[in-house]
Amino acid sequence: QGPRFVSAAPGGGFAVSEECGDVKVFTGGRELLCSLGSRYGHRFGNPAGLCVDRDGSILVADEQLRTVHLFPERGAPLCLVSAGLRRPAGLACSPFGQLFVADAGDNCLKVFKYCVRSP
């Protein structure tokens, strides 16, 4: 259960996915800020790639569950992609609301458009 993927996180910190585990968020001083699983009551299968969007939300690909979830700074997690993925690995966000998913199961890059509105 070692580290797999890493991404910059809001506030100068970083987030790390752990194989068959959780996603941990650290401060810029390398102190543990939170575990996304514990903070949101979310159970990951096998978290892989992650990124942070322009609103500061953390997006996580789950290889086992074949999903991409968005974890906002406030509010409940949202499932952005729940179909069409075989083994999502890497993620990247554009500042224009595009989500790029490297799908290792299909040997291709998939592009999604999303918009999340604050409640």
Side-chain angles (χ1 to χ4, degrees), residues 3-21:
R4 297 191 67 206
F5 292 83
V6 64
S7 175
F14 60 97
V16 179
S17 62
E18 300 175 324
E19 188 166 6
C20 298

Side-chain angles (χ1 to χ4, degrees), residues 1 33 35 43 49-50 56-57 64-65 67 71 96 98 101 108:
Q1 287 193 357
L33 184 63
S35 150
R43 187 173 185 129
L50 50 125
S57 298
Q64 184 179 4
L65 300 178
T67 59
F71 297 87
F96 308 107
Q98 292 175 305
V101 182
C108 66

Side-chain angles (χ1 to χ4, degrees), residues 36 39-41 57 70-78 116-119:
L36 292 184
R39 179 177 178 187
Y40 292 95
S57 298
L70 178 139
F71 297 87
E73 289 185 311
R74 292 188 178 103
L78 302 168
V116 177
R117 293 187 175 93
S118 300

Side-chain angles (χ1 to χ4, degrees), residues 11-99:
F14 60 97
V16 179
S17 62
E18 300 175 324
E19 188 166 6
C20 298
D22 203 344
V23 174
K24 300 219 172 121
V25 182
F26 294 86
T27 66
R30 297 181 301 236
E31 294 177 18
L32 180 63
L33 184 63
C34 72
S35 150
L36 292 184
S38 296
R39 179 177 178 187
Y40 292 95
H42 182 82
R43 187 173 185 129
F44 291 98
N46 191 16
L50 50 125
C51 63
V52 176
D53 71 8
R54 65 181 175 206
D55 297 323
S57 298
I58 299 173
L59 288 80
V60 181
D62 193 311
E63 285 182 328
Q64 184 179 4
L65 300 178
R66 299 178 182 177
T67 59
V68 175
H69 277 80
L70 178 139
F71 297 87
E73 289 185 311
R74 292 188 178 103
L78 302 168
C79 184
L80 293 181
V81 183
S82 62
L85 299 176
R86 291 189 54 206
R87 201 171 91 220
L91 286 184
C93 298
S94 82
F96 308 107
Q98 292 175 305
L99 172 65

